């Protein structure tokens, strides 16, 4: 499940910036990312809204748009639509209703991952846009922490709410909004942190890393979707969906051997020599703390050979 987390967080961030946080059902099934959206639904970041889509593709012929409608069968309500090619077609609710992203769920995750849940409840202070997560001390200064989305369209209201809810200069807002767009406006003077730069989706929640670097002014605000080992040798991190994943010295050596092999297969005895461990080492013991990294970049067979996923060979080492 590891490799699905980075694209899932990227899609969730994108949806939270859409009006109404809606996703058309057809976008789930024809995007090639159905597993990503189903994963977000499994972790309750996406749900099925009450509204029916105005039109969807017929699931049988996939040719024309059909209009979902509700029909009563005794005490049950079912969904159907009429297709000129197929006649009346029953529709599963996942194919008829709008999918709904939940910014409140992300705020709740952040509240927990920042260690605030025991002392602070999440409070919505600008409807559908801004949530107060709690307060936390960094370097003897107490910061008020917030989560926000769609900030660009609500700058004046958000700016006023932050002034009211925090001490001057002590607010920090984690956001899915494009920070470069916000820089010239009312919120440009605020401390804004890209969600995907500090968060990773793990086991149905978020893990927060490197937030202090933004408070110290040491971290850039640029966020990308890059997945590569481009920074392996310079920073000893892997990039997955734009997020930097720190590597242990052992995992760094493992990946470095495969990187130097330039896509060729490497037998485990050569890896054992490089890692200075017994040749009968268990791969599962190395993988367990970096499962997402190995599932993204490394391939193997039953004969003890390992190699880098071909998709990432051209972007490595640069």
């Amino acid at each position: 499940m590891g490799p699905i987390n980075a694209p899932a967080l990227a899609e969730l961030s994108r949806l939270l910036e859409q009006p109404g946080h809606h996703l058309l059902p057809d976008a789930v099934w024809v995007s090639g990312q159905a597993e990503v959206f189903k994963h977000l639904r499994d972790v309750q970041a996406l749900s099925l809204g009450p509204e029916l889509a105005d039109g969807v593709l017929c699931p049988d012929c996939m040719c024309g748009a059909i209009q979902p409608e509700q029909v009563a069968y005794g005490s049950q309500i079912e969904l159907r639509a009429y297709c000129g090619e197929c006649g009346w077609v029953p529709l599963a609710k996942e194919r008829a209703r709008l999918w709904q992203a939940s910014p409140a769920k992300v705020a709740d995750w952040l509240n927990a991952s920042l260690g605030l849940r025991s002392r602070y409840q999440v409070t919505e202070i600008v409807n559908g846009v801004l949530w107060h997560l709690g307060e936390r001390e960094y370097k003897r200064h107490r910061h008020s922490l917030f989560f926000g989305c769609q900030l660009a369209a609500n700058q004046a209201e958000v700016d006023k709410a932050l002034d009211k809810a925090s001490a001057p200069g002590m607010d920090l807002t984690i956001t899915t909004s494009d920070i470069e767009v916000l820089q010239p406006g009312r919120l440009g003077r605020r401390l804004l942190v890209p969600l995907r730069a500090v968060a990773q989706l793990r086991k149905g929640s978020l893990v927060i890393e490197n937030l202090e670097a933004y408070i110290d002014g040491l971290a850039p605000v640029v966020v990308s979707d890059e997945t590569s080992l481009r920074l392996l040798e310079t920073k000893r991190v892997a990039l997955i969906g734009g997020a930097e994943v720190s590597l242990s010295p052992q995992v760094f050596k493992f990946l470095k051997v495969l990187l130097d092999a330039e896509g060729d297969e490497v037998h485990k005895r050569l890896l054992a020599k490089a890692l200075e461990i017994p040749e009968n080492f268990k791969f599962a013991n190395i993988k367990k703390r970096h499962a997402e990294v190995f599932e993204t970049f490394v391939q193997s067979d039953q004969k003890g050979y390992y190699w880098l996923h071909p998709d990432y060979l051209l972007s490595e080492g640069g």
Side-chain angles (χ1 to χ4, degrees), residues 58-64 66 81-90:
C58 173
D60 289 349
C61 66
M62 298 295 288
C63 291
I66 55 179
Y82 185 79
C83 173
E85 295 289 333
C86 308
W88 285 105
V89 178

Side-chain angles (χ1 to χ4, degrees), residues 122-163:
V122 175
T123 305
E124 187 176 25
I125 58 177
V126 176
N127 187 33
V129 174
L130 188 68
W131 289 259
H132 180 238
L133 307 174
E135 296 186 357
R136 186 171 173 179
E137 188 171 290
Y138 293 99
K139 294 188 175 181
R140 299 184 181 180
H141 294 287
R142 182 168 292 276
H143 288 76
S144 297
L145 306 182
F146 302 86
F147 169 67
C149 59
Q150 301 189 15
L151 299 183
N154 300 275
Q155 292 206 49
E157 191 174 4
V158 170
D159 191 49
K160 183 178 179 181
L162 290 174
D163 277 339

